[in-house]
Amino acid sequence: MVRTPSGKLLLFGATGDLSQRMLLPSLYGLDADGLLPADLLIVATARSGHDDAGFRAFAEAALRKYVPAERCAEAALGTFLARLRYVPVDASKEGDFKALTDVVGSTDKGLSIFLSTAPSLFEATIDGLASAGLAGDGVRIGLEKPLGYDMASSREINDAVAAVFPEDRIFRIDHYLGKETVQNLLALRFANSLFEPLWKEGGIDHVQITVSETVGLEGRVGFYDGAGAIRDMVQNHMLQLLALVAMEPPAHFDSTSIRDEKVKVLRSLRRIDRTNADKMTVIGQYSAGAVAGGAVPGYAEELGKPSDTETFVAIKANIDNWRWKGVPFYLRTGKRLPSRQSEIFIQFKQVPHSIFEARGAVLQPNKLVIRLQPDENVRLLLMSKVPGLDRDGIKLREVPLDIAMPNAFADSHRRIAYERLLLDLVEGDQTLFVRRDEVEAQWEWVDAIRDGWSANAMKPRPYTAGTWGPSAAIALTERDGVTWHD
């Protein structure tokens, strides 16, 4: 498929935290390495009243703060900053979009838009772009979450976008899909004959996916208390990881084939609803405790009022298809947990018969640990004999085979997720973006769970900050003879 890179990039929310920490550093890194189209114009917009010079100074300060000093070459900085223009726009004022059109100009050579805005402003922003002539045939739009708070609000936003942009020009962003190790999961499965024959109910005992955070609200009070852990993490990031682990081999590595297989998994998730939500899920909310050796307040104290919002959720999920029948997927995410990590843990089934048992050896099942953050790493745990004469019996020990990505690819520059996603947006590759039917399958599953919580009057169980959630989360797995991988 031939794709034409956009000649211009329009960046909404350009003065926000995401822009400073991720978007501007990502675009600078791509430009410094010669990966952006040579004549790409970057037009930034937000409500702040900068002019071009003021925004370039703002962008330079962000780059010097968030880009490693060794990457901040003066010549490269100057070249990148010269690409930038700025137009203040209040999305609620249709007239502001006229000034945007004057700076962006013609979209005949393509325009890519990165839109990060409050859900309440999505429709007004899309209408403003359309009325200003910034939604023509050569225009793509990238949508940063949150894309709604449930199926109904998600459909409302997607309907507003679809009224102006066809699906093949909509790029819904889940930044986890841009992480190198997430993509390496596909290579691990589909480029090696070692794993795929075992990657099913006959070879895998269970799968765990953990996304844990040590932070609390961190300035996200307005969003988080209306969302909670299941909408903040499970509905998007974790279900995307589950889909990549569980998907069937696609025929090709392209956007249609990959996303077709992911949506099949999401539609095969066994429903959790009013009949079983209390048995298949655990929710919690952190109370005061200690994280990283320092005292931290409870959620209600940080919020300044009582709340029933969950800051922790654990779920036992099942996929009802031939490959995964009987294999549980345990999902766990929360705030104020002991460590920050995103990890996929796959436990293979035990060998059917141990020839070493009579000699006193104890076997452990093989395990594959795919660590996404903070350190990208793939670890395979195998059984090996302990050196010795074995006169008192054979001793076996679990030993790791590690592939630390920074070490294995020391000669390659490691890129953050938004570098890849922004470049794919500019170049028009949808493979790592989320299709509407995926989003709706995710919301359908999550909305049923939340309705189950309400119908069963489930309230978050308290857990002390710095621990791995409520004790009921341990019981969720241990009743199946499974222990969380901490």
Side-chain angles (χ1 to χ4, degrees), residues 229-466:
I230 195 167
R231 289 188 282 199
D232 185 40
M233 281 290 182
V234 176
Q235 185 274 332
N236 41 75
H237 304 324
M238 299 188 78
L239 286 183
Q240 283 292 314
L241 294 179
L242 180 148
L244 289 171
V245 170
M247 64 190 276
E248 294 296 317
H252 306 283
F253 189 82
D254 60 47
S255 59
T256 299
S257 300
I258 296 286
R259 298 190 294 179
D260 281 351
E261 297 304 336
K262 284 197 294 175
V263 79
K264 288 177 188 176
V265 173
L266 296 168
R267 288 173 175 164
S268 299
L269 281 166
R270 187 182 301 168
R271 187 176 173 88
I272 299 175
D273 54 24
R274 297 180 174 206
T275 65
N276 58 358
D278 56 337
K279 303 176 186 66
M280 306 300 284
T281 69
V282 173
I283 51 177
Q285 185 183 102
Y286 64 84
S287 56
V291 176
V296 295
Y299 180 79
E301 296 169 78
E302 283 190 73
L303 190 62
K305 61 180 181 180
S307 171
D308 287 335
T309 296
E310 82 285 353
T311 63
F312 175 95
V313 60
I315 302 172
K316 179 183 176 182
N318 293 275
I319 300 171
D320 288 333
N321 61 23
W322 279 29
R323 181 180 288 263
W324 297 110
K325 188 67 175 178
V327 179
F329 282 67
Y330 300 100
L331 313 181
R332 173 179 63 164
T333 186
K335 289 187 174 294
R336 292 295 191 205
L337 300 183
S339 64
R340 173 180 173 263
Q341 64 188 59
S342 296
E343 172 182 284
I344 301 166
F345 173 86
I346 296 164
Q347 182 167 306
F348 294 92
K349 289 194 172 178
Q350 186 62 276
V351 297
H353 171 69
S354 172
I355 65 172
F356 305 102
E357 186 175 358
R359 299 291 301 276
V362 178
L363 271 63
Q364 299 293 329
N366 300 137
K367 306 172 185 73
L368 180 65
V369 184
I370 303 167
R371 177 68 64 91
L372 311 178
Q373 63 183 23
D375 303 312
E376 295 181 329
N377 184 66
V378 178
R379 166 176 284 198
L380 179 62
L381 295 164
L382 304 173
M383 295 306 296
S384 182
K385 180 182 174 300
V386 177
L389 297 176
D390 311 323
R391 302 188 68 172
D392 297 322
I394 294 177
K395 294 183 175 63
L396 301 180
R397 179 184 299 167
E398 200 173 51
V399 295
L401 297 179
D402 281 310
I403 306 173
M405 294 301 170
N407 296 336
F409 300 99
D411 57 340
S412 300
H413 174 56
R414 307 293 292 169
R415 298 194 179 276
I416 62 176
Y418 278 100
E419 288 184 70
R420 181 179 303 275
L421 296 174
L422 285 167
L423 187 60
D424 284 354
L425 171 62
V426 169
E427 294 185 342
D429 185 348
Q430 290 185 304
T431 304
L432 300 179
F433 296 83
V434 185
R435 207 165 58 190
R436 178 170 181 167
D437 53 355
E438 293 179 73
V439 175
E440 295 195 349
Q442 291 168 184
W443 274 124
E444 183 177 4
W445 194 68
V446 165
D447 280 358
I449 293 174
R450 294 185 62 252
D451 179 65
W453 292 349
S454 177
N456 287 279
M458 291 174 61
K459 303 294 184 186
R461 301 167 186 255
Y463 65 95
T464 303

Side-chain angles (χ1 to χ4, degrees), residues 11-20 23-24 44-50 54-55 58-59 86:
L11 201 64
F12 277 81
T15 58
D17 184 60
L18 177 66
S19 177
Q20 294 178 69
L23 305 184
L24 291 170
T45 182
R47 296 178 69 174
S48 305
H50 292 296
F55 181 73
F58 172 88
Y86 184 84

Side-chain angles (χ1 to χ4, degrees), residues 123-310:
E123 192 165 355
T125 304
I126 297 298
D127 289 346
L129 288 168
S131 65
L134 297 176
D137 289 343
V139 182
R140 308 176 185 119
I141 188 163
L143 305 175
E144 180 64 86
K145 73 162 195 167
L147 296 179
Y149 293 99
D150 54 18
M151 176 73 89
S153 57
S154 175
R155 280 182 172 163
E156 184 177 342
I157 289 171
N158 278 307
D159 285 347
V161 178
V164 176
F165 294 92
E167 184 65 30
D168 64 359
R169 291 196 276 120
I170 300 173
F171 292 65
R172 295 176 191 81
I173 294 165
D174 185 327
H175 73 269
Y176 264 54
L177 298 182
K179 291 180 179 292
E180 197 70 53
T181 317
V182 173
Q183 297 162 64
N184 201 42
L185 174 59
L186 296 179
L188 194 72
R189 286 192 58 188
F190 303 130
N192 298 286
S193 61
L194 176 64
F195 293 113
E196 192 58 24
L198 296 174
W199 209 269
K200 56 185 179 179
E201 52 79 28
I204 290 179
D205 181 79
H206 71 273
V207 177
Q208 299 178 27
I209 301 175
T210 294
V211 178
S212 62
E213 299 179 282
T214 57
V215 298
L217 286 176
E218 298 290 296
R220 300 177 72 214
V221 175
F223 166 75
Y224 194 88
D225 196 54
I230 195 167
R231 289 188 282 199
D232 185 40
M233 281 290 182
V234 176
Q235 185 274 332
N236 41 75
H237 304 324
M238 299 188 78
L239 286 183
Q240 283 292 314
L241 294 179
L242 180 148
L244 289 171
V245 170
M247 64 190 276
E248 294 296 317
H252 306 283
F253 189 82
D254 60 47
S255 59
T256 299
S257 300
I258 296 286
R259 298 190 294 179
D260 281 351
E261 297 304 336
K262 284 197 294 175
V263 79
K264 288 177 188 176
V265 173
L266 296 168
R267 288 173 175 164
S268 299
L269 281 166
R270 187 182 301 168
R271 187 176 173 88
I272 299 175
D273 54 24
R274 297 180 174 206
T275 65
N276 58 358
D278 56 337
K279 303 176 186 66
M280 306 300 284
T281 69
V282 173
I283 51 177
Q285 185 183 102
Y286 64 84
S287 56
V291 176
V296 295
Y299 180 79
E301 296 169 78
E302 283 190 73
L303 190 62
K305 61 180 181 180
S307 171
D308 287 335
T309 296
E310 82 285 353

